[in-house]
Amino acid sequence: MRELGLRGHRAIAVDLPGHGLGAYLPESYQFPQDLDRLRTEPSPISRVTLGDFAAHVIGVVRRARRNGPVVLVGGSLGGATLNAVANQVPDLLAHLVYASAFCPTEHPSVLRLMMTPEAATSSVFRLPAIQTPPELGVSRVNWRSGDPAFFALVKESIAADRPDAEVRALMNILEPDESAAVGASEDARGLPTGWGRVPRTFLRYTQDRTIPLPLQDLMIREADATTPHNPFRVRSLPAPHAGPRDPALLADELELVARLPR
């Protein structure tokens, strides 16, 4: 955001419900941690849905659209929200950018995409989540763990090119809880009648070990097959899941998108 702003672009980071200052941090997650309680402590995030994400972002898009064309960018699980927003308000969007983000079209959910052979090498399968009861309705990760093995896995999964100090800083701005329904059970497919009408770009992160390159390419192929008249514009960046360490590389790509004809 800072890099785009310094280049003269209007840019805003949108915190989804349950994230940013709206995040829920369980008491047992604070120091000193109570790991037994952390496995069972309820979270209001369990009630957050993909529909909540979409409604929130649509509200932002409607306001931003008054200032000119809107380019909507999402990374990782945020791609599901891009799909949901574009399904509902395609006419308010000039372009969608998936920064190594999930884009279900033939597979109904993020979970189903992660069950494909193309996802088999994802390091996320080795990242230990807290084993919460299913009825809790959240996926919970203890980013404040002091276990060196856990730290090594996190670094490999999301920011292998960063120094340890930068990885720790990143871990400390991640929320522990995500609604289990958003990625697992809710239909997040981009539909030809809405999403399929919006021009789109996929930024392939070639060093991503969370969404491996074969899975990124599968999503691109399936999306293009869904709307062959409107295929992905594809660009590749040498970046891990957290994105390029140099923000100028990502800003360069977004500037190119902003200059595309409407």
Side-chain angles (χ1 to χ4, degrees):
M1 297 299 99
R2 185 165 52 245
E3 180 69 20
L4 288 171
L6 289 171
R7 297 181 184 201
H9 298 282
R10 297 187 183 100
I12 180 172
V14 182
D15 286 325
L16 295 173
H19 296 74
L21 291 178
Y24 177 76
L25 302 178
E27 288 184 13
S28 52
Y29 185 65
Q30 309 301 325
F31 184 82
Q33 290 191 319
D34 183 341
L35 297 182
D36 288 334
R37 184 182 170 196
L38 190 58
R39 295 186 184 95
T40 57
E41 186 172 342
S43 171
I45 305 303
S46 65
R47 299 189 294 272
V48 176
T49 67
L50 183 59
D52 295 327
F53 286 176
H56 179 71
V57 175
I58 288 171
V60 176
V61 167
R62 290 191 188 281
R63 295 183 64 188
R65 183 67 180 82
R66 301 169 189 168
N67 299 316
V70 175
V71 175
L72 194 59
V73 184
S76 194
L77 187 58
T81 300
L82 262 62
N83 282 14
V85 171
N87 281 339
Q88 296 182 53
V89 291
D91 294 334
L92 298 183
L93 301 169
H95 208 99
L96 299 169
V97 178
Y98 292 77
S100 193
F102 287 103
C103 182
T105 49
E106 294 185 15
H107 294 80
S109 67
V110 170
L111 177 62
R112 292 291 293 274
L113 281 168
M114 291 300 291
M115 294 169 64
T116 62
E118 288 81 359
T121 61
S122 173
S123 57
V124 77
F125 296 122
R126 296 186 288 115
L127 194 65
I130 296 174
Q131 299 303 308
T132 57
E135 59 270 19
L136 212 60
V138 295
S139 301
R140 180 170 286 169
V141 177
N142 183 11
W143 300 110
R144 293 176 178 169
S145 168
D147 182 356
F150 175 78
F151 176 84
L153 277 172
V154 171
K155 181 173 180 176
E156 176 188 345
S157 296
I158 62 177
D161 64 338
R162 310 293 207 273
D164 287 359
E166 289 187 22
V167 178
R168 291 191 189 95
L170 176 61
M171 291 169 68
N172 274 281
I173 62 171
L174 295 175
E175 297 94 354
D177 289 353
E178 184 65 83
S179 171
V182 170
S185 59
E186 294 193 74
D187 194 323
R189 284 176 288 189
L191 303 177
T193 53
W195 163 88
R197 293 161 46 198
V198 186
R200 59 182 184 262
T201 291
F202 198 102
L203 300 181
R204 297 167 76 249
Y205 288 174
T206 60
Q207 298 169 8
D208 194 335
R209 297 173 185 172
T210 296
I211 305 180
L213 209 51
L215 180 56
Q216 296 178 55
D217 290 339
L218 173 68
M219 292 187 288
I220 293 168
R221 290 195 305 271
E222 292 184 344
D224 289 354
T226 299
T227 56
H229 60 285
N230 181 27
F232 262 117
R233 172 182 172 273
V234 180
R235 306 278 291 182
S236 297
L237 294 175
H241 192 63
R245 189 180 180 202
D246 180 358
L249 295 178
L250 182 54
D252 287 345
E253 294 298 330
L254 297 180
E255 275 198 315
L256 288 174
V257 169
R259 292 171 184 160
L260 292 174
R262 301 289 184 260

